Amino acid sequence: MKVVKFGGSSLASGKQLEKVFKIVVSDSERKVVVVSAPGKRFADDNKVTDLLIECGELCLQSKDPKEKFEAVIERYSYIAEELALPRDIINEIHDDLTKRLSSDKTEPERFLDLLKASGEDNNAKLVAAYFQVQGVEAYYVDPKEAGLLVSDEPGNAQVLPEAYDQLYSLHERSGILIFPGFFGYSKQGEVFTFSRSGSDITGSILANALKADLYENFTDVDAVYSVNPSIVKKPKEIKELTYREMRELSYAGFTVLHDEALVPAFRAGIPVHIKNTNNPTASGTRIVYERDNTNGPVIGIASDQGFCSIYVSKYLMNREIGFGRKLLSILEDFGLSYEHTPSGIDDVSVILRENQMSAETEKAIKERIESELLADLVKFEHSLALIMVVGEGMRHNVGTMAKASKALAQARINIEMINQGSSEVSMMFGVKEVDEKRAVQALYEEFFVAVTV
Amino acid sequence: MKVVKFGGSSLASGKQLEKVFKIVVSDSERKVVVVSAPGKRFADDNKVTDLLIECGELCLQSKDPKEKFEAVIERYSYIAEELALPRDIINEIHDDLTKRLSSDKTEPERFLDLLKASGEDNNAKLVAAYFQVQGVEAYYVDPKEAGLLVSDEPGNAQVLPEAYDQLYSLHERSGILIFPGFFGYSKQGEVFTFSRSGSDITGSILANALKADLYENFTDVDAVYSVNPSIVKKPKEIKELTYREMRELSYAGFTVLHDEALVPAFRAGIPVHIKNTNNPTASGTRIVYERDNTNGPVIGIASDQGFCSIYVSKYLMNREIGFGRKLLSILEDFGLSYEHTPSGIDDVSVILRENQMSAETEKAIKERIESELLADLVKFEHSLALIMVVGEGMRHNVGTMAKASKALAQARINIEMINQGSSEVSMMFGVKEVDEKRAVQALYEEFFVAVTV
């Protein structure tokens, strides 16, 4: 049995839905279909989710949401007309949305979650209606009734352990089950959404709960590329990679799949297959537990900008039990999450995402580190990029670092920082943002130009 | 004005004391002389400090310390006879030691400190007597009366800030001041020693307090070598290096100078000159605040064995604010100090010295990390060596990492771990202990064979 998830661009129009239908019915194993809200049809188009957020915010500001409301309805109507669906489905969506808009607004975030969730929920109903019109046994599944229980964190809900058992009973149902992505219900019966793009998470939870053989994630790219195509033209496609590799790549700029979406599939060992709705015969990319390491040591190179570092030095720091823990506690007091802490003997750097830091926070942190930890020097460095060179094959491959650092040296790029854990599934280089592209290109050249992935 | 410190081997015999005398009087700037206890005269010889410790432990076990006591007295007598000093100095030492042995033993560590400190204290008296016999104006200085105040931590005393002001008054005294190293007095007037080899610290404190122009540290090597001579034959000598470089090298196996000894000199910016008592015309090694970077990027390579790593992985660890801090808190609960924490996205390794860990501690730590942090995997790796490649010149030197990792790859050595902070005064490689020597040799070959340091 396969759980199949379709992203927003795969459901943006009637034409796209026709492709989705063909894909689903072409394989009888495709039993559960998770749908996103309608996405963009063209570059300047609106996503339904964005329209819903704008609509909700107008309501919260006591402004008239009519225009946005109608834009949402129009998107569904457009699809329904293209597919010649009976008018009742649009009336149903219209009523649903009207009801949601008039609901309690005392907790704005919960109100927004309720609204955002309608994008997927109503689309699932529409997709089910279309499948039925095509003469296929298909049913919309209400996540509440199916038991998709989540924590009551607006916009960041986490699935509750008991959800898995409840969802398992879906396997008894007949027909194709059309399940809306992106949200679940709290124990109190309120709607809470996952973080943005969370339909990927729904699919993964269902795959785990239903003990699926495969979780197919249909999007609009043929495969996961070994490097960002905006940095390297026509990069190699990755046929197969491990969860860990995918996770490390997605951390730094690879956004094909939602980070958290891999967790349930990973825990159940269910392979995830990234495929293209617009080119379903392309082999796509499989994310698996273990892969044959027949290729080169490196499977992908990812990079991301917007990091800064806090450098702290103190003579004989190394002798002070608890120095590192105290330093991290200070950052935690400011609600900062950090990425890495490379260290020398008497110095340590903390790498964090720059967007967490204002000039004020920076000043306050510096003062606390100086006064509480008696540091000799506290220094901030901005505009750093992190480059991840990822591959399970790197483990115990003598010389990978030599190749990588040679490539960077030849491109005259200074390495600001290196962090390589004992896991060796990745090497991380910190470089200045201005050097990021050239660094990635040099590394790609080194590891991929003569290698098939 | 110069503060001059002589190590144990420089004071092990009358012959050595003659050299010391010549060195001191050959330069009228050499005003303060810090002395260690007599060290070894030959490989199998005993150090007076070790004899004193054995003597003290026998007392604490209520055993007869006579043999050890006499061995100590004999060492001083031997020197006094060689130098034809009057017998009273030995009587004085005999009485002093007898008095110490009969003192309060209710706090064994304090008793041992009192005994250990006599090695330097009595040697300073003997050296002063010898200088006087030679017709030079020289005086033994009592650290208590001079105001060398320290914390009351047996075997690990720390100088108190007020000591510096008090010691400054020594600059008004005439003649050469012979100051015993290794210990000071608490505010309650009790003796507390620095950690082992702490006479280096005394010299540095005096250099700082007296605003000396130079702190000369006489030992038994011509210079600090760029690499351990037991790993590479006849390595290059280092003419000049910075405090930071010295600190990073001494962390991993370079034991020419006590770690803590650099702090007071460093804070006052006083250069430290390592020289050889047995070859005083050799140019030695200067430790300075800044050096001209006219040589290659690397100044020295140090290595040390006996490390282990704790590898912790948890899916989406990166999202958890406080994960690293909690992990370090657990280690702190076990009194463990750690060295480095290289990390990937969802994994982190903690490198620590193996001698802190018993199999039991290891088990307990694993359990706590698994149960409290819900880690997916906790794994220990043993018998690691850390190699430090050190040099201020590495800062912004494109390609140093490329050279280093190429050298290791060519020697077929797998790099278990790399940690390079944003400071770039050092690169650290973790390798298996069995690979340590070959790794150091390969790096030395790469960085030194065509370079003058």
Side-chain angles (χ1 to χ4, degrees), chain A residues 247 251 260 262 267 315 318-319 324-325 332 338 340-341 343-346 349 376 402 405 415 422 424, chain B residues 247 251 260 262 267 315 319 324-325 332 338-341 343-346 349 402 405 415 419 422 424:
Chain A
R247 168 74 184 125
Y251 162 77
E260 294 172 39
L262 280 178
R267 300 237 187 265
Y315 212 88
N318 175 267
R319 295 276 184 111
R325 196 252 315 146
E332 210 176 322
Y338 68 93
H340 300 282
T341 57
S343 56
I345 304 304
D346 289 337
S349 291
D376 293 330
S405 50
I415 303 169
S422 50
E424 290 191 27
Chain B
R247 168 73 184 125
Y251 162 77
E260 293 173 40
L262 280 178
R267 300 238 187 263
Y315 212 88
R319 295 274 183 111
R325 196 252 315 144
E332 211 176 320
Y338 69 94
E339 310 293 313
H340 300 282
T341 57
S343 56
I345 304 305
D346 290 336
S349 291
S405 49
I415 303 171
N419 210 342
S422 51
E424 291 192 26

Side-chain angles (χ1 to χ4, degrees), chain A residues 124-135:
Chain A
K125 291 174 192 163
L126 188 144
V127 170
Y130 169 54
F131 275 47
Q132 286 156 8
V133 165
Q134 296 299 306

Side-chain angles (χ1 to χ4, degrees), chain B residues 2-13:
Chain B
K2 297 175 186 172
V3 171
V4 199
K5 183 257 168 183
F6 291 93
S9 66
S10 305
L11 301 158
S13 67

Side-chain angles (χ1 to χ4, degrees), chain A residues 254-446:
Chain A
F254 276 49
T255 50
V256 176
L257 200 69
H258 192 293
D259 269 359
E260 294 172 39
L262 280 178
V263 184
F266 165 74
R267 300 237 187 265
I270 298 165
V272 181
H273 200 165
I274 308 284
K275 297 205 73 176
N276 191 352
T277 304
N278 305 316
N279 185 17
T281 56
S283 61
T285 299
R286 283 172 63 91
I287 309 171
V288 294
Y289 208 84
E290 261 182 83
R291 65 176 173 93
D292 290 337
N293 176 31
T294 47
N295 306 315
V298 176
I299 196 147
I301 300 166
S303 65
D304 204 7
Q305 299 200 336
F307 294 92
C308 65
S309 74
I310 310 174
Y311 170 79
V312 181
S313 80
K314 180 178 181 183
Y315 212 88
L316 292 182
M317 174 192 291
N318 175 267
R319 295 276 184 111
E320 269 181 62
I321 290 191
F323 190 94
R325 196 252 315 146
K326 286 176 209 153
L327 177 62
L328 299 182
S329 296
I330 291 177
L331 299 182
E332 210 176 322
D333 288 346
F334 287 90
L336 300 171
S337 80
Y338 68 93
E339 311 292 314
H340 300 282
T341 57
S343 56
I345 304 304
D346 289 337
D347 47 36
V348 57
S349 291
V350 183
I351 313 292
L352 12 93
R353 291 205 184 259
E354 211 153 32
N355 59 10
Q356 304 177 90
M357 299 275 277
S358 64
E360 263 170 38
T361 318
E362 191 169 315
K363 200 165 155 265
I365 289 174
K366 187 169 161 33
E367 278 168 12
R368 282 196 58 188
I369 297 174
E370 282 168 349
S371 66
E372 293 173 29
L373 301 182
L374 304 174
D376 293 330
L377 181 64
V378 182
K379 212 170 59 181
F380 287 78
E381 199 176 336
H382 293 276
S383 305
L384 297 175
L386 293 186
I387 299 172
M388 304 287 306
V389 179
V390 176
E392 299 268 355
M394 281 162 52
R395 199 187 322 241
H396 304 129
N397 187 298
V398 168
T400 312
M401 174 56 73
K403 286 180 82 173
S405 50
K406 184 194 75 186
L408 294 174
Q410 282 173 350
R412 310 299 306 158
I413 288 157
N414 195 52
I415 303 169
E416 301 287 317
M417 192 259 299
I418 297 178
N419 210 343
Q420 179 187 329
S422 50
S423 83
E424 290 191 27
V425 73
S426 69
M427 287 185 302
M428 169 176 297
F429 296 96
V431 301
K432 295 207 191 307
E433 280 182 355
V434 292
D435 290 333
E436 180 194 2
K437 278 198 175 184
R438 286 193 307 118
V440 171
Q441 285 158 352
L443 290 166
Y444 183 81
E445 193 72 20
E446 181 70 32

